[in-house]
Amino acid sequence: MQRYYFHLTDGRRLYPDPTGHILAGPVAARQHALEDARSLLESWMVRSTSPWRVEVHDGLGIVVCSIALADASVSEARPLFHEEVEASECLNQASANAC
């Protein structure tokens, strides 16, 4: 378990996360950053998300990953619907006992 910090930046200013979160590793930290980015998109009324990013830093200050808010709304969101598509395909094939 390691502490990760989820800073928000627009490329000019850094809005630091002073407390961070203790997570299992970099994969969990990236998932948390993605969830943070999506939450920000839901709560903000912004004209452009392009400069905004959630930067994940470890306890040493090293950047682990960076999630652009624009990516969280488009390219990163697709996997959320994957299960729904599989479920509908499963229902369509239920009569054939495929599931």
Side-chain angles (χ1 to χ4, degrees):
M1 300 296 273
Q2 184 174 350
R3 185 170 299 272
Y4 294 92
Y5 298 88
F6 300 84
H7 306 310
L8 184 63
T9 183
D10 64 357
R12 294 177 296 164
R13 296 168 297 227
L14 183 73
Y15 300 91
D17 170 7
T19 57
H21 294 277
I22 297 175
L23 299 167
V27 173
R30 184 183 187 287
Q31 183 61 36
H32 186 88
L34 185 56
E35 291 167 6
D36 278 357
R38 288 181 180 147
S39 293
L40 287 168
L41 285 171
E42 290 174 5
S43 64
W44 282 9
M45 298 293 287
V46 294
R47 292 179 190 255
S48 174
T49 59
S50 60
W52 293 98
R53 307 180 75 73
V54 176
E55 285 189 353
V56 181
H57 295 244
D58 65 13
L60 299 173
I62 298 169
V63 176
V64 175
C65 69
S66 182
I67 304 291
L69 267 60
D71 291 344
S73 67
V74 179
S75 63
E76 293 286 350
R78 285 193 199 128
L80 293 177
F81 302 105
H82 184 69
E83 291 178 2
E84 292 176 15
V85 171
E86 284 182 356
S88 66
E89 288 174 359
C90 186
L91 290 174
N92 292 336
Q93 296 175 1
S95 61
N97 294 327
C99 296

